[in-house]
Amino acid sequence: MTIPHPIPAHLAALCRAADDLLNGEHATTGISDAGQLLAQLVAAIRGDTTTALVKPYLSPVNGYHWLLRYWSPDVDETLAFHDPLAAIGRLARTARARWDRVAGLTTTGFTVPATPPENDLAASNLYFWHLADDAEGFWLERQPLDGQSVDDTQVTGERDDYVLGHVAGEWICVCGNDAADEGFDPCTRVGALLAVLDSWDGVLYRCVKCDRIVAQPTGQVVGRAE
Ligand SMILES: [Zn+2]
């Protein structure tokens, strides 16, 4: 088996998790079982992208939880999740239940399918991307478990993992860009902007100002476009 070099980000995350596990600490990726970790590593090296943990940016982070606020004309609720994927699953359930509001809408050449995609991220992102008004929406925000609010626009003191701060529901990148400035556009894994959205994974956006590639809805930086 050949280990690729340089090590891709998802493999590096698994290696860090292995290191933590060997040192008796909680895995930063949320994996606390050695057998599970080994299976993930082998699958990742083999290039099996169906394995859940090839998206480390969607894994729980120790010391943090994710606050999901969802509002519509009928509901305004805020829920806390340890696992951001669980929050996204919740959003996807809402999106699927209300899919008729966006089915068939066309934006930038892409027509929303009649039925929601099976992928939770794609379902929630496609749905909320196409909602035309502010009467329904969500924000998903990483917060420390100690209750201190985190200002994600000031991340210079920690790893530059999460770029997006939220002010009144608006994204703000660490570079200062926001939706009213140059905005964020759907992109590919290498940051190429997409003219049509039919090949979009429903996850990745590029900050048009600083070219950071951001995975939504968690706002984690997963790369930078060349
Ligand atoms: Zn930026």
Side-chain angles (χ1 to χ4, degrees):
M1 174 182 313
T2 306
I3 296 180
H5 185 82
I7 297 178
H10 66 275
L11 266 179
L14 286 169
C15 290
R16 281 198 298 276
D19 214 30
D20 285 350
L21 208 56
L22 289 170
N23 289 316
E25 297 168 8
H26 290 294
T28 51
T29 49
I31 294 181
S32 56
D33 176 76
Q36 188 196 1
L37 181 62
L38 194 58
Q40 302 266 13
L41 261 174
V42 169
I45 292 169
R46 282 180 177 153
D48 175 7
T49 54
T50 62
T51 308
L53 209 85
V54 296
K55 289 178 177 160
Y57 50 87
L58 293 175
S59 297
V61 179
N62 279 341
Y64 289 90
H65 63 178
W66 305 83
L67 288 183
L68 171 67
R69 182 184 164 214
Y70 166 75
W71 65 90
S72 73
D74 310 316
V75 180
D76 189 340
E77 63 181 7
T78 301
L79 302 168
F81 294 86
H82 173 60
D83 182 348
L85 273 181
I88 292 160
R90 172 81 180 211
L91 278 174
R93 279 208 304 281
T94 300
R96 290 188 182 106
R98 298 168 68 83
W99 197 256
D100 58 346
R101 303 191 70 221
V102 297
L105 292 180
T106 299
T107 309
T108 60
F110 174 73
T111 300
V112 179
T115 54
E118 285 188 23
N119 182 299
D120 284 350
L121 277 157
S124 61
N125 278 336
L126 278 178
Y127 178 77
F128 287 100
W129 178 269
H130 286 89
L131 283 180
D133 63 60
D134 295 334
E136 182 177 1
F138 78 95
W139 50 251
L140 180 59
E141 196 166 350
R142 181 180 56 115
Q143 288 208 337
L145 285 169
D146 62 12
Q148 299 288 313
S149 72
V150 61
D151 183 353
D152 277 343
T153 61
Q154 313 246 334
V155 293
T156 49
E158 60 179 296
R159 282 160 48 207
D160 185 16
D161 279 350
Y162 296 87
V163 294
L164 296 179
H166 299 257
V167 175
E170 296 292 332
W171 299 353
I172 299 180
C173 183
V174 279
C175 74
N177 183 27
D178 63 22
D181 188 1
E182 296 188 36
F184 307 87
D185 281 337
C187 69
T188 67
R189 288 176 61 190
V190 293
L193 298 178
L194 296 167
V196 292
L197 295 178
D198 54 352
S199 62
W200 184 42
D201 66 356
V203 176
L204 298 176
Y205 293 83
R206 172 170 162 182
C207 171
V208 177
K209 191 174 243 178
C210 72
D211 298 326
R212 284 182 172 87
I213 303 167
V214 181
Q216 275 297 86
T218 55
Q220 185 162 352
V221 179
V222 293
R224 198 154 188 167
E226 296 289 312

PDB file of all heavy atoms in Angstrom, residues 172-210:
ATOM      1  N   ILE A 172     -19.214  36.463   7.629  1.00  0.00           N
ATOM      2  CA  ILE A 172     -18.106  37.404   7.483  1.00  0.00           C
ATOM      3  C   ILE A 172     -16.808  36.606   7.532  1.00  0.00           C
ATOM      4  O   ILE A 172     -16.530  35.909   8.492  1.00  0.00           O
ATOM      5  CB  ILE A 172     -18.106  38.459   8.605  1.00  0.00           C
ATOM      6  CG1 ILE A 172     -19.404  39.272   8.549  1.00  0.00           C
ATOM      7  CG2 ILE A 172     -16.895  39.369   8.464  1.00  0.00           C
ATOM      8  CD1 ILE A 172     -19.490  40.330   9.619  1.00  0.00           C
ATOM      9  N   CYS A 173     -16.018  36.688   6.479  1.00  0.00           N
ATOM     10  CA  CYS A 173     -14.745  35.976   6.411  1.00  0.00           C
ATOM     11  C   CYS A 173     -13.702  36.715   7.242  1.00  0.00           C
ATOM     12  O   CYS A 173     -13.843  37.912   7.505  1.00  0.00           O
ATOM     13  CB  CYS A 173     -14.299  35.880   4.954  1.00  0.00           C
ATOM     14  SG  CYS A 173     -12.775  34.934   4.726  1.00  0.00           S
ATOM     15  N   VAL A 174     -12.640  36.024   7.644  1.00  0.00           N
ATOM     16  CA  VAL A 174     -11.568  36.702   8.374  1.00  0.00           C
ATOM     17  C   VAL A 174     -10.916  37.801   7.544  1.00  0.00           C
ATOM     18  O   VAL A 174     -10.310  38.715   8.088  1.00  0.00           O
ATOM     19  CB  VAL A 174     -10.461  35.730   8.848  1.00  0.00           C
ATOM     20  CG1 VAL A 174     -10.873  35.030  10.104  1.00  0.00           C
ATOM     21  CG2 VAL A 174     -10.079  34.751   7.768  1.00  0.00           C
ATOM     22  N   CYS A 175     -11.043  37.715   6.234  1.00  0.00           N
ATOM     23  CA  CYS A 175     -10.458  38.764   5.382  1.00  0.00           C
ATOM     24  C   CYS A 175     -11.343  40.003   5.351  1.00  0.00           C
ATOM     25  O   CYS A 175     -10.974  41.022   4.778  1.00  0.00           O
ATOM     26  CB  CYS A 175     -10.233  38.238   3.959  1.00  0.00           C
ATOM     27  SG  CYS A 175     -11.754  38.054   3.014  1.00  0.00           S
ATOM     28  N   GLY A 176     -12.521  39.916   5.974  1.00  0.00           N
ATOM     29  CA  GLY A 176     -13.424  41.063   6.015  1.00  0.00           C
ATOM     30  C   GLY A 176     -14.537  40.996   4.986  1.00  0.00           C
ATOM     31  O   GLY A 176     -15.490  41.766   5.044  1.00  0.00           O
ATOM     32  N   ASN A 177     -14.419  40.077   4.055  1.00  0.00           N
ATOM     33  CA  ASN A 177     -15.437  39.947   3.021  1.00  0.00           C
ATOM     34  C   ASN A 177     -16.770  39.488   3.625  1.00  0.00           C
ATOM     35  O   ASN A 177     -16.803  38.674   4.545  1.00  0.00           O
ATOM     36  CB  ASN A 177     -14.966  38.914   1.991  1.00  0.00           C
ATOM     37  CG  ASN A 177     -15.926  38.767   0.830  1.00  0.00           C
ATOM     38  OD1 ASN A 177     -16.657  39.688   0.491  1.00  0.00           O
ATOM     39  ND2 ASN A 177     -15.916  37.583   0.234  1.00  0.00           N
ATOM     40  N   ASP A 178     -17.849  40.036   3.123  1.00  0.00           N
ATOM     41  CA  ASP A 178     -19.164  39.522   3.500  1.00  0.00           C
ATOM     42  C   ASP A 178     -20.062  39.496   2.272  1.00  0.00           C
ATOM     43  O   ASP A 178     -19.631  39.854   1.171  1.00  0.00           O
ATOM     44  CB  ASP A 178     -19.775  40.332   4.652  1.00  0.00           C
ATOM     45  CG  ASP A 178     -20.019  41.789   4.276  1.00  0.00           C
ATOM     46  OD1 ASP A 178     -20.129  42.103   3.075  1.00  0.00           O
ATOM     47  OD2 ASP A 178     -20.095  42.623   5.203  1.00  0.00           O
ATOM     48  N   ALA A 179     -21.302  39.063   2.468  1.00  0.00           N
ATOM     49  CA  ALA A 179     -22.196  38.867   1.317  1.00  0.00           C
ATOM     50  C   ALA A 179     -22.443  40.162   0.564  1.00  0.00           C
ATOM     51  O   ALA A 179     -22.617  40.163  -0.656  1.00  0.00           O
ATOM     52  CB  ALA A 179     -23.513  38.258   1.786  1.00  0.00           C
ATOM     53  N   ALA A 180     -22.436  41.293   1.287  1.00  0.00           N
ATOM     54  CA  ALA A 180     -22.705  42.567   0.627  1.00  0.00           C
ATOM     55  C   ALA A 180     -21.466  43.103  -0.080  1.00  0.00           C
ATOM     56  O   ALA A 180     -21.547  44.014  -0.901  1.00  0.00           O
ATOM     57  CB  ALA A 180     -23.187  43.582   1.657  1.00  0.00           C
ATOM     58  N   ASP A 181     -20.303  42.537   0.258  1.00  0.00           N
ATOM     59  CA  ASP A 181     -19.051  42.959  -0.384  1.00  0.00           C
ATOM     60  C   ASP A 181     -18.861  42.107  -1.647  1.00  0.00           C
ATOM     61  O   ASP A 181     -19.603  42.233  -2.600  1.00  0.00           O
ATOM     62  CB  ASP A 181     -17.913  42.788   0.629  1.00  0.00           C
ATOM     63  CG  ASP A 181     -16.585  43.372   0.167  1.00  0.00           C
ATOM     64  OD1 ASP A 181     -16.540  43.933  -0.943  1.00  0.00           O
ATOM     65  OD2 ASP A 181     -15.592  43.264   0.904  1.00  0.00           O
ATOM     66  N   GLU A 182     -17.885  41.201  -1.625  1.00  0.00           N
ATOM     67  CA  GLU A 182     -17.683  40.372  -2.819  1.00  0.00           C
ATOM     68  C   GLU A 182     -18.369  39.021  -2.715  1.00  0.00           C
ATOM     69  O   GLU A 182     -18.534  38.318  -3.707  1.00  0.00           O
ATOM     70  CB  GLU A 182     -16.183  40.198  -3.077  1.00  0.00           C
ATOM     71  CG  GLU A 182     -15.516  41.532  -3.404  1.00  0.00           C
ATOM     72  CD  GLU A 182     -14.085  41.379  -3.841  1.00  0.00           C
ATOM     73  OE1 GLU A 182     -13.777  40.386  -4.523  1.00  0.00           O
ATOM     74  OE2 GLU A 182     -13.263  42.233  -3.476  1.00  0.00           O
ATOM     75  N   GLY A 183     -18.715  38.620  -1.489  1.00  0.00           N
ATOM     76  CA  GLY A 183     -19.547  37.439  -1.323  1.00  0.00           C
ATOM     77  C   GLY A 183     -18.808  36.118  -1.401  1.00  0.00           C
ATOM     78  O   GLY A 183     -17.578  36.053  -1.391  1.00  0.00           O
ATOM     79  N   PHE A 184     -19.589  35.052  -1.438  1.00  0.00           N
ATOM     80  CA  PHE A 184     -19.092  33.677  -1.440  1.00  0.00           C
ATOM     81  C   PHE A 184     -19.815  32.920  -2.542  1.00  0.00           C
ATOM     82  O   PHE A 184     -21.023  33.027  -2.669  1.00  0.00           O
ATOM     83  CB  PHE A 184     -19.362  33.015  -0.088  1.00  0.00           C
ATOM     84  CG  PHE A 184     -18.846  33.803   1.085  1.00  0.00           C
ATOM     85  CD1 PHE A 184     -19.633  34.780   1.669  1.00  0.00           C
ATOM     86  CD2 PHE A 184     -17.574  33.587   1.581  1.00  0.00           C
ATOM     87  CE1 PHE A 184     -19.160  35.539   2.735  1.00  0.00           C
ATOM     88  CE2 PHE A 184     -17.095  34.342   2.644  1.00  0.00           C
ATOM     89  CZ  PHE A 184     -17.891  35.313   3.224  1.00  0.00           C
ATOM     90  N   ASP A 185     -19.059  32.154  -3.320  1.00  0.00           N
ATOM     91  CA  ASP A 185     -19.679  31.449  -4.444  1.00  0.00           C
ATOM     92  C   ASP A 185     -19.414  29.953  -4.355  1.00  0.00           C
ATOM     93  O   ASP A 185     -18.333  29.539  -3.917  1.00  0.00           O
ATOM     94  CB  ASP A 185     -19.133  31.975  -5.778  1.00  0.00           C
ATOM     95  CG  ASP A 185     -19.787  33.294  -6.161  1.00  0.00           C
ATOM     96  OD1 ASP A 185     -20.901  33.558  -5.666  1.00  0.00           O
ATOM     97  OD2 ASP A 185     -19.175  34.044  -6.932  1.00  0.00           O
ATOM     98  N   PRO A 186     -20.360  29.140  -4.805  1.00  0.00           N
ATOM     99  CA  PRO A 186     -20.151  27.691  -4.828  1.00  0.00           C
ATOM    100  C   PRO A 186     -18.919  27.341  -5.677  1.00  0.00           C
ATOM    101  O   PRO A 186     -18.669  27.969  -6.704  1.00  0.00           O
ATOM    102  CB  PRO A 186     -21.427  27.160  -5.492  1.00  0.00           C
ATOM    103  CG  PRO A 186     -22.452  28.197  -5.204  1.00  0.00           C
ATOM    104  CD  PRO A 186     -21.714  29.509  -5.237  1.00  0.00           C
ATOM    105  N   CYS A 187     -18.153  26.356  -5.221  1.00  0.00           N
ATOM    106  CA  CYS A 187     -16.925  26.005  -5.943  1.00  0.00           C
ATOM    107  C   CYS A 187     -16.672  24.506  -5.844  1.00  0.00           C
ATOM    108  O   CYS A 187     -17.367  23.777  -5.142  1.00  0.00           O
ATOM    109  CB  CYS A 187     -15.730  26.789  -5.391  1.00  0.00           C
ATOM    110  SG  CYS A 187     -15.219  26.325  -3.725  1.00  0.00           S
ATOM    111  N   THR A 188     -15.635  24.077  -6.570  1.00  0.00           N
ATOM    112  CA  THR A 188     -15.213  22.679  -6.532  1.00  0.00           C
ATOM    113  C   THR A 188     -14.219  22.475  -5.391  1.00  0.00           C
ATOM    114  O   THR A 188     -13.862  23.414  -4.691  1.00  0.00           O
ATOM    115  CB  THR A 188     -14.519  22.271  -7.839  1.00  0.00           C
ATOM    116  OG1 THR A 188     -13.277  22.992  -7.916  1.00  0.00           O
ATOM    117  CG2 THR A 188     -15.381  22.611  -9.049  1.00  0.00           C
ATOM    118  N   ARG A 189     -13.722  21.247  -5.243  1.00  0.00           N
ATOM    119  CA  ARG A 189     -12.772  20.945  -4.169  1.00  0.00           C
ATOM    120  C   ARG A 189     -11.481  21.739  -4.285  1.00  0.00           C
ATOM    121  O   ARG A 189     -10.792  21.959  -3.313  1.00  0.00           O
ATOM    122  CB  ARG A 189     -12.438  19.440  -4.169  1.00  0.00           C
ATOM    123  CG  ARG A 189     -13.588  18.585  -3.680  1.00  0.00           C
ATOM    124  CD  ARG A 189     -13.242  17.116  -3.785  1.00  0.00           C
ATOM    125  NE  ARG A 189     -12.079  16.765  -2.982  1.00  0.00           N
ATOM    126  CZ  ARG A 189     -11.464  15.593  -3.055  1.00  0.00           C
ATOM    127  NH1 ARG A 189     -11.905  14.682  -3.885  1.00  0.00           N
ATOM    128  NH2 ARG A 189     -10.434  15.337  -2.286  1.00  0.00           N
ATOM    129  N   VAL A 190     -11.132  22.164  -5.508  1.00  0.00           N
ATOM    130  CA  VAL A 190      -9.915  22.960  -5.663  1.00  0.00           C
ATOM    131  C   VAL A 190     -10.224  24.446  -5.781  1.00  0.00           C
ATOM    132  O   VAL A 190      -9.352  25.253  -6.058  1.00  0.00           O
ATOM    133  CB  VAL A 190      -9.086  22.499  -6.886  1.00  0.00           C
ATOM    134  CG1 VAL A 190      -8.540  21.102  -6.663  1.00  0.00           C
ATOM    135  CG2 VAL A 190      -9.908  22.564  -8.162  1.00  0.00           C
ATOM    136  N   GLY A 191     -11.484  24.791  -5.546  1.00  0.00           N
ATOM    137  CA  GLY A 191     -11.833  26.205  -5.491  1.00  0.00           C
ATOM    138  C   GLY A 191     -12.267  26.813  -6.807  1.00  0.00           C
ATOM    139  O   GLY A 191     -12.456  28.027  -6.891  1.00  0.00           O
ATOM    140  N   ALA A 192     -12.412  25.988  -7.839  1.00  0.00           N
ATOM    141  CA  ALA A 192     -12.883  26.530  -9.116  1.00  0.00           C
ATOM    142  C   ALA A 192     -14.348  26.929  -8.987  1.00  0.00           C
ATOM    143  O   ALA A 192     -15.164  26.140  -8.513  1.00  0.00           O
ATOM    144  CB  ALA A 192     -12.706  25.499 -10.224  1.00  0.00           C
ATOM    145  N   LEU A 193     -14.662  28.162  -9.380  1.00  0.00           N
ATOM    146  CA  LEU A 193     -16.042  28.629  -9.278  1.00  0.00           C
ATOM    147  C   LEU A 193     -16.910  27.913 -10.302  1.00  0.00           C
ATOM    148  O   LEU A 193     -16.451  27.575 -11.396  1.00  0.00           O
ATOM    149  CB  LEU A 193     -16.097  30.144  -9.495  1.00  0.00           C
ATOM    150  CG  LEU A 193     -15.331  30.963  -8.460  1.00  0.00           C
ATOM    151  CD1 LEU A 193     -15.408  32.446  -8.792  1.00  0.00           C
ATOM    152  CD2 LEU A 193     -15.860  30.712  -7.052  1.00  0.00           C
ATOM    153  N   LEU A 194     -18.159  27.683  -9.932  1.00  0.00           N
ATOM    154  CA  LEU A 194     -19.062  26.916 -10.790  1.00  0.00           C
ATOM    155  C   LEU A 194     -20.061  27.844 -11.479  1.00  0.00           C
ATOM    156  O   LEU A 194     -20.771  28.604 -10.817  1.00  0.00           O
ATOM    157  CB  LEU A 194     -19.816  25.882  -9.950  1.00  0.00           C
ATOM    158  CG  LEU A 194     -18.919  24.808  -9.323  1.00  0.00           C
ATOM    159  CD1 LEU A 194     -19.686  24.024  -8.270  1.00  0.00           C
ATOM    160  CD2 LEU A 194     -18.395  23.871 -10.397  1.00  0.00           C
ATOM    161  N   ALA A 195     -20.086  27.785 -12.803  1.00  0.00           N
ATOM    162  CA  ALA A 195     -21.034  28.605 -13.548  1.00  0.00           C
ATOM    163  C   ALA A 195     -22.449  28.064 -13.387  1.00  0.00           C
ATOM    164  O   ALA A 195     -23.417  28.810 -13.312  1.00  0.00           O
ATOM    165  CB  ALA A 195     -20.652  28.637 -15.018  1.00  0.00           C
ATOM    166  N   VAL A 196     -22.561  26.746 -13.319  1.00  0.00           N
ATOM    167  CA  VAL A 196     -23.854  26.119 -13.040  1.00  0.00           C
ATOM    168  C   VAL A 196     -23.680  25.215 -11.830  1.00  0.00           C
ATOM    169  O   VAL A 196     -22.585  24.744 -11.543  1.00  0.00           O
ATOM    170  CB  VAL A 196     -24.377  25.303 -14.240  1.00  0.00           C
ATOM    171  CG1 VAL A 196     -24.743  26.224 -15.387  1.00  0.00           C
ATOM    172  CG2 VAL A 196     -23.374  24.280 -14.679  1.00  0.00           C
ATOM    173  N   LEU A 197     -24.767  24.985 -11.142  1.00  0.00           N
ATOM    174  CA  LEU A 197     -24.652  24.306  -9.854  1.00  0.00           C
ATOM    175  C   LEU A 197     -24.913  22.802  -9.927  1.00  0.00           C
ATOM    176  O   LEU A 197     -24.929  22.135  -8.895  1.00  0.00           O
ATOM    177  CB  LEU A 197     -25.626  24.935  -8.852  1.00  0.00           C
ATOM    178  CG  LEU A 197     -25.312  26.403  -8.489  1.00  0.00           C
ATOM    179  CD1 LEU A 197     -26.360  26.935  -7.529  1.00  0.00           C
ATOM    180  CD2 LEU A 197     -23.929  26.520  -7.883  1.00  0.00           C
ATOM    181  N   ASP A 198     -25.090  22.256 -11.130  1.00  0.00           N
ATOM    182  CA  ASP A 198     -25.467  20.841 -11.165  1.00  0.00           C
ATOM    183  C   ASP A 198     -24.325  19.915 -10.735  1.00  0.00           C
ATOM    184  O   ASP A 198     -24.568  18.783 -10.341  1.00  0.00           O
ATOM    185  CB  ASP A 198     -26.020  20.431 -12.524  1.00  0.00           C
ATOM    186  CG  ASP A 198     -25.079  20.761 -13.666  1.00  0.00           C
ATOM    187  OD1 ASP A 198     -24.074  21.441 -13.413  1.00  0.00           O
ATOM    188  OD2 ASP A 198     -25.364  20.336 -14.792  1.00  0.00           O
ATOM    189  N   SER A 199     -23.076  20.406 -10.771  1.00  0.00           N
ATOM    190  CA  SER A 199     -21.978  19.558 -10.310  1.00  0.00           C
ATOM    191  C   SER A 199     -21.507  19.952  -8.912  1.00  0.00           C
ATOM    192  O   SER A 199     -20.534  19.418  -8.396  1.00  0.00           O
ATOM    193  CB  SER A 199     -20.801  19.632 -11.290  1.00  0.00           C
ATOM    194  OG  SER A 199     -20.317  20.955 -11.361  1.00  0.00           O
ATOM    195  N   TRP A 200     -22.216  20.890  -8.286  1.00  0.00           N
ATOM    196  CA  TRP A 200     -21.827  21.358  -6.959  1.00  0.00           C
ATOM    197  C   TRP A 200     -22.149  20.294  -5.913  1.00  0.00           C
ATOM    198  O   TRP A 200     -23.183  19.626  -5.998  1.00  0.00           O
ATOM    199  CB  TRP A 200     -22.583  22.640  -6.666  1.00  0.00           C
ATOM    200  CG  TRP A 200     -22.237  23.314  -5.385  1.00  0.00           C
ATOM    201  CD1 TRP A 200     -21.000  23.486  -4.849  1.00  0.00           C
ATOM    202  CD2 TRP A 200     -23.153  23.932  -4.483  1.00  0.00           C
ATOM    203  NE1 TRP A 200     -21.087  24.185  -3.674  1.00  0.00           N
ATOM    204  CE2 TRP A 200     -22.385  24.470  -3.419  1.00  0.00           C
ATOM    205  CE3 TRP A 200     -24.523  24.101  -4.466  1.00  0.00           C
ATOM    206  CZ2 TRP A 200     -22.973  25.147  -2.358  1.00  0.00           C
ATOM    207  CZ3 TRP A 200     -25.101  24.781  -3.418  1.00  0.00           C
ATOM    208  CH2 TRP A 200     -24.327  25.300  -2.373  1.00  0.00           C
ATOM    209  N   ASP A 201     -21.266  20.148  -4.931  1.00  0.00           N
ATOM    210  CA  ASP A 201     -21.523  19.152  -3.885  1.00  0.00           C
ATOM    211  C   ASP A 201     -22.436  19.687  -2.786  1.00  0.00           C
ATOM    212  O   ASP A 201     -22.768  18.973  -1.851  1.00  0.00           O
ATOM    213  CB  ASP A 201     -20.204  18.649  -3.290  1.00  0.00           C
ATOM    214  CG  ASP A 201     -19.455  19.726  -2.529  1.00  0.00           C
ATOM    215  OD1 ASP A 201     -19.913  20.890  -2.515  1.00  0.00           O
ATOM    216  OD2 ASP A 201     -18.406  19.413  -1.946  1.00  0.00           O
ATOM    217  N   GLY A 202     -22.830  20.931  -2.896  1.00  0.00           N
ATOM    218  CA  GLY A 202     -23.719  21.496  -1.887  1.00  0.00           C
ATOM    219  C   GLY A 202     -22.997  21.871  -0.613  1.00  0.00           C
ATOM    220  O   GLY A 202     -23.620  22.197   0.391  1.00  0.00           O
ATOM    221  N   VAL A 203     -21.680  21.836  -0.632  1.00  0.00           N
ATOM    222  CA  VAL A 203     -20.888  22.025   0.580  1.00  0.00           C
ATOM    223  C   VAL A 203     -19.894  23.185   0.455  1.00  0.00           C
ATOM    224  O   VAL A 203     -19.790  24.025   1.346  1.00  0.00           O
ATOM    225  CB  VAL A 203     -20.095  20.741   0.907  1.00  0.00           C
ATOM    226  CG1 VAL A 203     -19.192  20.952   2.112  1.00  0.00           C
ATOM    227  CG2 VAL A 203     -21.041  19.583   1.155  1.00  0.00           C
ATOM    228  N   LEU A 204     -19.164  23.217  -0.630  1.00  0.00           N
ATOM    229  CA  LEU A 204     -17.982  24.086  -0.698  1.00  0.00           C
ATOM    230  C   LEU A 204     -18.281  25.447  -1.325  1.00  0.00           C
ATOM    231  O   LEU A 204     -18.916  25.537  -2.376  1.00  0.00           O
ATOM    232  CB  LEU A 204     -16.880  23.389  -1.491  1.00  0.00           C
ATOM    233  CG  LEU A 204     -16.383  22.075  -0.883  1.00  0.00           C
ATOM    234  CD1 LEU A 204     -15.367  21.416  -1.804  1.00  0.00           C
ATOM    235  CD2 LEU A 204     -15.780  22.310   0.491  1.00  0.00           C
ATOM    236  N   TYR A 205     -17.777  26.469  -0.638  1.00  0.00           N
ATOM    237  CA  TYR A 205     -17.870  27.832  -1.134  1.00  0.00           C
ATOM    238  C   TYR A 205     -16.472  28.436  -1.151  1.00  0.00           C
ATOM    239  O   TYR A 205     -15.610  28.057  -0.362  1.00  0.00           O
ATOM    240  CB  TYR A 205     -18.733  28.699  -0.213  1.00  0.00           C
ATOM    241  CG  TYR A 205     -20.187  28.332  -0.159  1.00  0.00           C
ATOM    242  CD1 TYR A 205     -20.623  27.308   0.675  1.00  0.00           C
ATOM    243  CD2 TYR A 205     -21.120  29.022  -0.916  1.00  0.00           C
ATOM    244  CE1 TYR A 205     -21.968  26.975   0.741  1.00  0.00           C
ATOM    245  CE2 TYR A 205     -22.467  28.697  -0.844  1.00  0.00           C
ATOM    246  CZ  TYR A 205     -22.889  27.683  -0.016  1.00  0.00           C
ATOM    247  OH  TYR A 205     -24.213  27.364   0.055  1.00  0.00           O
ATOM    248  N   ARG A 206     -16.299  29.408  -2.028  1.00  0.00           N
ATOM    249  CA  ARG A 206     -15.024  30.123  -2.076  1.00  0.00           C
ATOM    250  C   ARG A 206     -15.274  31.575  -1.720  1.00  0.00           C
ATOM    251  O   ARG A 206     -16.195  32.202  -2.242  1.00  0.00           O
ATOM    252  CB  ARG A 206     -14.445  30.016  -3.486  1.00  0.00           C
ATOM    253  CG  ARG A 206     -13.212  30.863  -3.726  1.00  0.00           C
ATOM    254  CD  ARG A 206     -12.634  30.467  -5.070  1.00  0.00           C
ATOM    255  NE  ARG A 206     -11.726  31.451  -5.588  1.00  0.00           N
ATOM    256  CZ  ARG A 206     -11.123  31.343  -6.776  1.00  0.00           C
ATOM    257  NH1 ARG A 206     -11.369  30.282  -7.541  1.00  0.00           N
ATOM    258  NH2 ARG A 206     -10.294  32.259  -7.190  1.00  0.00           N
ATOM    259  N   CYS A 207     -14.448  32.074  -0.796  1.00  0.00           N
ATOM    260  CA  CYS A 207     -14.489  33.504  -0.497  1.00  0.00           C
ATOM    261  C   CYS A 207     -13.935  34.215  -1.716  1.00  0.00           C
ATOM    262  O   CYS A 207     -12.788  33.996  -2.097  1.00  0.00           O
ATOM    263  CB  CYS A 207     -13.663  33.815   0.753  1.00  0.00           C
ATOM    264  SG  CYS A 207     -13.463  35.595   1.009  1.00  0.00           S
ATOM    265  N   VAL A 208     -14.747  35.051  -2.306  1.00  0.00           N
ATOM    266  CA  VAL A 208     -14.354  35.663  -3.571  1.00  0.00           C
ATOM    267  C   VAL A 208     -13.204  36.654  -3.357  1.00  0.00           C
ATOM    268  O   VAL A 208     -12.435  36.952  -4.256  1.00  0.00           O
ATOM    269  CB  VAL A 208     -15.575  36.339  -4.231  1.00  0.00           C
ATOM    270  CG1 VAL A 208     -15.190  37.051  -5.509  1.00  0.00           C
ATOM    271  CG2 VAL A 208     -16.638  35.285  -4.524  1.00  0.00           C
ATOM    272  N   LYS A 209     -13.038  37.134  -2.125  1.00  0.00           N
ATOM    273  CA  LYS A 209     -11.984  38.120  -1.868  1.00  0.00           C
ATOM    274  C   LYS A 209     -10.630  37.465  -1.554  1.00  0.00           C
ATOM    275  O   LYS A 209      -9.616  37.852  -2.120  1.00  0.00           O
ATOM    276  CB  LYS A 209     -12.408  39.017  -0.703  1.00  0.00           C
ATOM    277  CG  LYS A 209     -11.510  40.236  -0.512  1.00  0.00           C
ATOM    278  CD  LYS A 209     -12.088  41.162   0.561  1.00  0.00           C
ATOM    279  CE  LYS A 209     -12.442  42.524  -0.046  1.00  0.00           C
ATOM    280  NZ  LYS A 209     -13.032  43.430   0.937  1.00  0.00           N
ATOM    281  N   CYS A 210     -10.599  36.455  -0.672  1.00  0.00           N
ATOM    282  CA  CYS A 210      -9.300  35.905  -0.247  1.00  0.00           C
ATOM    283  C   CYS A 210      -9.076  34.484  -0.772  1.00  0.00           C
ATOM    284  O   CYS A 210      -8.028  33.899  -0.530  1.00  0.00           O
ATOM    285  CB  CYS A 210      -9.169  35.917   1.272  1.00  0.00           C
ATOM    286  SG  CYS A 210     -10.201  34.698   2.109  1.00  0.00           S
TER     287      CYS A 210
END
